[in-house]
Amino acid sequence: MLNFEFYSPTKVIFGKETENQTAKEVKACGCRKVLLHYGGESARKSGLLGRIEESLKAEGIDYITLGGVVPNPRLSLVYQGIELCRKEGVDFILAVGGGSVIDSGKAIAMGAVSDCDVWDFYEKRTEPKAALPVGVVLTIAAAGSETSTDSVITNEDGWLKKGFGSVLLRPKFAVMNPELTYTLPDYQTASGGTDIMMHTMERYFTQVEDVDFTDALCEGLLRVMMKHLKILVKDPKNYDSRAQVMWAGSVSHNGLMSTGRIGDFASHQIEHELGGMFDVAHGAGLAAVWPSWARYVYKANVGRFAQYAVNVMGCAMDFQNPEKTALEGIERMEEFYHAIHMPVNLKELGVDPTDAQIEEMAEKATWFGRRDVGNFVPLKKEDLIQIYQMARG
Amino acid sequence: MDNFELHTPTKVIFGKGTEKAAGKEIKALGCKKVLLHYGGQSAKKSGLLDRIEASLKEEGIDYVSLGGVVPNPRLGLVYEGIELCKKEGVDFILAVGGGSVIDSAKAIGYGITHDFDVWDLYDGKAAAVTCAPIGTVLTIAAAGSETSNSSVITKEEGWLKRGYNNDVCRPVFAIMNPEVTYTLPAYQTASGGADILMHTMERYFTQTENVDFTDALCEGLLKTVMKHLLVLVKDPMNYDSRAQVMWAGSISHNGLLNTGRVGDWASHQLEHELGGMFDVAHGAGLAAVWGSWARYVYKENVGRFAQYAVNVMGCAMDFQNPEKTALEGIERMEEFYRKINMPTNIRELGIDLTEEQIEELSEKCVWGGRRTIGNFKVLKKEDVKAIYQMAK
């Protein structure tokens, strides 16, 4: 077990009708002018935005709105938000949406109080010194951005998708009402659930030894997620399943599951390039690449993949041939993805990259040779090309 | 699953050598005068206090010291600390020790920021609106007070042991170096471990339905802590076991495992009275009463006790007779307590209760009839008496 720091100060307000508390929480932060940041029109049509606007008015808090965030949120809208915040003297960003809206909100929060180009942070050219406070009303259980340090933005100029993390970006509060997720399309529920699971799986597949406690927490989270995602395929308005999934989504990515260990995150990097090039749903993209990643790397630690197979997927251990158990665990995971209608390869994802495109993605993922991807097995460009090829289906 | 709020702002700094970060963390908060609060002489003898004092000096932070905190920390010393802090202009309290020292520090933190008698908080007569900032350097994995919102203080007059919970007292940072716990006596390691387990068990035994996620986290925590407490009986200097237990100790009590559910806490109340009257080690006291509490209440929800038996204690489910499984789980838990040399009744705790003492404990426990205890089964004075009798 490694030394670590863990700091997760986001106040979570969870349950039915909790969105009505939003304005009170903004006020408690001492802020006066809010940027209400959101995505498409569903938040307005459902009445959610209206309720939040009413609650802001009731507390006497001024606000301006900026909608239009799309999946794989764009840098150009971030620039627009920064401009707007500066012009209007905004001192609080309220993100109403899922990971894309929150990530966009975080980028605006940094950019509004920094002199440099906000993209420089994502390019790791410089570090932000401050950020406006961000609050969240979550509408999809997926990214975990509501309590995390992270933000992922796509630069249209070259379709580069890059992530950045800083404690400055942890939201002040996260309002989570599972009921708000009732009307999500099935595909988004499943894709979000896959994302949640992958946040924990990336941490689970580690080479760090003696991490029993976080192993047990990870395994419990994954089993619960699979159980309730399957329920939601048939019964999307099941409050308790929506609630388990939503809360697990935050805990999966707030840092607890990585304490004392080094996560992998290769699958995320592999998917980021896909998302940048083909604009696929993030979770579905992860499902499409994970099995190929797993088969490419499992020999580096058969024991860990066998543990996953037994403790998470419920396989019986083959003590004479642990490798068989390890591979069975990967197969069962694919079966699970199919059960929730997620792809297990690029073909099922609806993407058919050319060899040149695979070369380009592998190139971008390794920052043109400036870095390796992943920690379970550090992957170079050639490894990534093979994994993309395996994932074609 | 119930609605909930969770706010855990404590920054955790975990691992080897981390105590050296104390001075820097305090400086980053802009505090200038520290009360260094600790217990007996072991922190001084081990060199830990010296290392911390050196880190304060290095950052140019002034400090005064107040040692002498004992298990079941006393109100008398809390008053002394409040006085000292006011006189010296202390703006930060650094607790170096375990739950007792941290709880005492929290009480002092409340005391220096409020005008009324600090005991009023513990007596349910007042509520705190703020608390002086508290930092902790943890030396025993047990109470979880290093990240929790609770504090338990004993008033010598009448030997009343009372707890008070408020988010304002959550420490701003918690430094945890598992190596610091290598030299704990085996009994304290086990007693601390029993306390950690009980913090999760109190939350686990709930009547709230549809709490799969926190159930799974609770079950994982309990299995891990049991595994590593058994390792530590034979190998007390095992870093990784010390580390699992120490980190689990914080997570067990920081509120996460409680989210969306109502915990029980009857065993804690039963033990608090024992601790107030006899000054027993808290975890050992919990182990001594839990089995009797469990047998007294399990029929309220046999399914939950069976789940505990199967998912935590590894029993095989008796599908024809779940009650048998439920009872087997309680027995296996008692076996586990014996393996780590913890008592499973009050006699094994070294106490021979008289009828009068049981009457007095029960009376105090329900605040003379002003409250009931527990949520899994709501217990009145007669129930409490019956459990003390069973636990004798």
Side-chain angles (χ1 to χ4, degrees):
Chain A
M1 187 166 164
L2 306 173
N3 281 16
F4 67 84
E5 287 193 10
F6 176 67
Y7 180 55
S8 177
T10 304
K11 179 177 177 183
V12 172
I13 303 140
F14 191 101
K16 293 178 183 173
E17 291 167 16
T18 44
E19 66 271 21
N20 299 330
Q21 294 176 48
T22 311
K24 231 167 51 193
E25 293 296 331
V26 175
K27 202 167 188 184
C29 293
C31 294
R32 279 146 205 253
K33 182 80 179 253
V34 169
L35 176 74
L36 194 54
H37 198 37
Y38 60 98
E41 285 309 301
S42 63
R44 187 164 294 287
K45 274 190 213 141
S46 71
L48 174 63
L49 272 182
R51 292 206 296 285
I52 292 168
E53 286 175 321
E54 282 312 309
S55 86
L56 289 172
K57 282 179 199 152
E59 295 287 345
I61 297 167
D62 199 11
Y63 67 90
I64 50 170
T65 59
L66 179 64
V69 182
V70 294
N72 300 312
R74 306 293 197 262
L75 183 61
S76 57
L77 191 72
V78 168
Y79 287 145
Q80 206 179 314
I82 291 169
E83 193 125 328
L84 191 59
C85 286
R86 285 180 179 159
K87 200 179 90 195
E88 298 277 347
V90 163
D91 60 4
F92 192 92
I93 314 281
L94 182 60
V96 179
S100 300
V101 176
I102 303 165
D103 285 5
S104 181
K106 287 173 174 177
I108 294 170
M110 288 189 286
V113 292
S114 303
D115 294 330
C116 62
D117 181 351
V118 71
W119 185 248
D120 286 349
F121 302 137
Y122 294 83
E123 285 282 7
K124 314 279 189 293
R125 289 195 196 111
T126 177
E127 289 271 317
K129 289 180 191 66
L132 292 177
V134 176
V136 172
V137 178
L138 192 64
T139 61
I140 170 168
S145 189
E146 64 278 8
T147 62
S148 83
T149 54
D150 302 344
S151 162
V152 181
I153 297 292
T154 296
N155 186 344
E156 301 95 319
D157 183 10
W159 293 105
L160 293 169
K161 185 174 175 179
K162 294 231 184 294
F164 173 76
S166 160
V167 286
L168 291 171
L169 298 186
R170 294 224 190 241
K172 296 288 161 214
F173 64 82
V175 170
M176 302 188 215
N177 177 357
E179 293 175 314
L180 298 179
T181 65
Y182 281 173
T183 52
L184 281 173
D186 293 341
Y187 188 77
Q188 275 196 47
T189 298
S191 178
T194 302
D195 192 16
I196 291 169
M197 291 182 66
M198 278 301 302
H199 285 148
T200 290
M201 288 157 70
E202 296 274 25
R203 290 164 166 104
Y204 189 79
F205 289 100
T206 182
Q207 300 284 10
V208 179
E209 294 183 345
D210 297 304
V211 286
D212 277 3
F213 177 46
T214 38
D215 272 358
L217 298 182
C218 289
E219 290 161 1
L221 184 145
L222 292 168
R223 288 191 310 257
V224 169
M225 281 298 302
M226 287 193 275
K227 171 177 167 183
H228 289 284
L229 286 175
K230 280 197 239 167
I231 291 173
L232 291 173
V233 169
K234 293 190 179 155
D235 183 13
K237 299 209 173 180
N238 184 312
Y239 179 82
D240 288 300
S241 290
R242 288 285 184 190
Q244 311 298 325
V245 167
M246 195 173 216
W247 185 211
S250 295
V251 176
S252 186
H253 204 38
N254 75 357
L256 174 62
M257 300 296 172
S258 5
T259 52
R261 54 204 290 154
I262 294 172
D264 182 62
F265 287 95
S267 301
H268 264 78
Q269 302 307 329
I270 295 169
E271 193 287 325
H272 276 187
E273 298 312 323
L274 274 177
M277 192 178 279
F278 298 101
D279 217 18
V280 299
H282 177 52
L286 289 168
V289 300
W290 184 81
S292 300
W293 170 83
R295 288 199 178 86
Y296 191 79
V297 304
Y298 80 95
K299 284 187 182 164
N301 190 338
V302 170
R304 182 140 286 271
F305 271 89
Q307 184 183 338
Y308 183 82
V310 173
N311 288 356
V312 179
M313 302 311 296
C315 300
M317 179 69 186
D318 187 332
F319 294 94
Q320 298 304 319
N321 193 351
E323 200 171 330
K324 219 169 131 184
T325 310
L327 287 168
E328 193 193 333
I330 299 169
E331 271 161 41
R332 289 240 197 141
M333 193 67 207
E334 289 176 317
E335 283 166 27
F336 165 75
Y337 283 144
H338 278 157
I340 61 167
H341 310 300
M342 280 287 108
V344 300
N345 57 45
L346 298 181
K347 197 161 129 207
E348 290 179 8
L349 183 65
V351 171
D352 186 13
T354 63
D355 286 345
Q357 283 173 320
I358 284 178
E359 166 97 18
E360 188 187 335
M361 287 190 288
E363 187 100 73
K364 278 185 181 170
T366 54
W367 294 2
F368 306 94
R370 279 190 289 137
R371 68 160 184 184
D372 292 343
V373 167
N375 295 302
F376 191 79
V377 174
L379 303 168
K380 299 199 186 311
K381 183 181 154 189
E382 296 67 44
D383 302 305
L384 294 184
I385 289 175
Q386 289 205 48
I387 292 172
Y388 281 121
Q389 291 288 2
M390 282 166 73
R392 272 183 151 154
Chain B
M1 187 167 166
D2 298 334
N3 281 17
F4 68 84
E5 287 191 10
L6 178 69
H7 190 205
T8 55
T10 306
K11 178 177 176 184
V12 172
I13 302 147
F14 191 101
K16 295 176 185 175
T18 46
E19 65 272 18
K20 290 180 200 130
K24 227 163 57 191
E25 290 295 326
I26 294 170
K27 194 165 188 185
L29 293 162
C31 294
K32 306 213 156 127
K33 182 82 180 248
V34 168
L35 176 72
L36 194 55
H37 199 36
Y38 58 97
Q41 288 308 308
S42 62
K44 191 164 273 306
K45 274 189 215 146
S46 71
L48 176 63
L49 272 182
D50 289 342
R51 293 204 294 282
I52 293 167
E53 287 178 47
S55 97
L56 293 175
K57 282 177 194 153
E58 202 170 302
E59 300 291 339
I61 296 166
D62 199 10
Y63 63 91
V64 287
S65 301
L66 178 65
V69 181
V70 294
N72 301 309
R74 307 292 199 265
L75 184 60
L77 191 72
V78 169
Y79 286 144
E80 208 182 304
I82 294 169
E83 192 110 335
L84 183 64
C85 287
K86 284 183 173 167
K87 202 181 92 195
E88 297 279 346
V90 162
D91 59 4
F92 190 91
I93 304 169
L94 182 60
V96 180
S100 300
V101 175
I102 301 166
D103 285 7
S104 181
K106 288 173 175 173
I108 295 170
Y110 287 133
I112 60 178
T113 51
H114 293 88
D115 289 331
F116 51 74
D117 181 357
V118 71
W119 183 251
D120 286 352
L121 298 171
Y122 296 82
D123 209 19
K125 289 184 187 139
V129 293
T130 182
C131 184
I134 311 238
T136 65
V137 179
L138 192 63
T139 60
I140 169 167
S145 189
E146 65 278 8
T147 63
S148 84
N149 66 358
S150 44
S151 160
V152 181
I153 297 293
T154 296
K155 184 181 187 177
E156 299 92 325
E157 185 193 333
W159 292 107
L160 294 168
K161 185 174 175 177
R162 296 272 179 272
Y164 178 65
N165 297 347
N166 191 316
D167 274 345
V168 297
C169 82
R170 287 201 194 257
V172 285
F173 67 78
I175 290 174
M176 302 187 214
N177 177 355
E179 293 175 313
V180 169
T181 66
Y182 281 173
T183 52
L184 280 173
Y187 186 78
Q188 275 196 49
T189 298
S191 177
D195 193 14
I196 291 169
L197 291 169
M198 277 303 301
H199 285 149
T200 292
M201 288 157 71
E202 297 276 25
R203 290 165 164 107
Y204 189 80
F205 288 101
T206 182
Q207 299 286 8
T208 310
E209 293 182 344
N210 299 310
V211 285
D212 277 3
F213 177 45
T214 38
D215 271 0
L217 298 182
C218 287
E219 290 161 1
L221 183 144
L222 292 170
K223 282 187 294 197
T224 305
V225 172
M226 281 195 262
K227 172 179 166 183
H228 289 284
L229 286 177
L230 290 174
V231 172
L232 290 174
V233 169
K234 291 189 181 155
D235 182 13
M237 313 262 257
N238 184 310
Y239 179 82
D240 288 300
S241 291
R242 289 285 184 191
Q244 311 298 326
V245 169
M246 196 174 214
W247 186 212
S250 295
I251 297 300
S252 187
H253 204 37
N254 79 350
L256 172 64
L257 301 186
N258 222 32
T259 51
R261 58 204 287 153
V262 176
D264 182 65
W265 301 103
S267 300
H268 264 77
Q269 301 307 331
L270 293 167
E271 193 286 328
H272 276 187
E273 297 313 323
L274 276 180
M277 191 182 277
F278 298 102
D279 218 17
V280 299
H282 177 53
L286 288 168
V289 300
W290 183 79
S292 300
W293 169 82
R295 287 199 178 82
Y296 191 81
V297 305
Y298 79 94
K299 285 189 180 161
E300 297 292 313
N301 189 335
V302 170
R304 184 140 283 272
F305 270 89
Q307 184 182 338
Y308 182 81
V310 173
N311 288 356
V312 179
M313 302 311 298
C315 301
M317 179 68 185
D318 186 332
F319 294 95
Q320 298 302 319
N321 192 351
E323 200 172 330
K324 220 170 129 186
T325 310
L327 286 169
E328 194 193 331
I330 299 170
E331 270 160 42
R332 288 237 200 143
M333 191 66 206
E334 289 175 325
E335 277 166 33
F336 167 78
Y337 280 141
R338 282 191 282 270
K339 277 190 203 153
I340 61 165
N341 304 309
M342 280 287 107
T344 58
N345 58 50
I346 295 172
R347 189 168 36 78
E348 287 176 11
L349 192 61
I351 295 167
D352 190 13
L353 284 180
T354 65
E355 292 302 317
E356 292 75 34
Q357 285 170 329
I358 287 181
E359 171 73 24
E360 189 189 335
L361 289 171
S362 307
E363 180 75 21
K364 276 185 179 170
C365 194
V366 296
W367 294 3
R370 279 191 291 139
R371 69 161 184 181
T372 55
I373 64 163
N375 294 302
F376 189 81
K377 177 180 169 71
V378 176
L379 304 171
K380 295 195 181 30
K381 186 180 162 189
E382 295 68 45
D383 302 303
V384 171
K385 258 174 95 167
I387 294 171
Y388 280 127
Q389 287 288 3
M390 286 165 73
K392 246 177 105 171

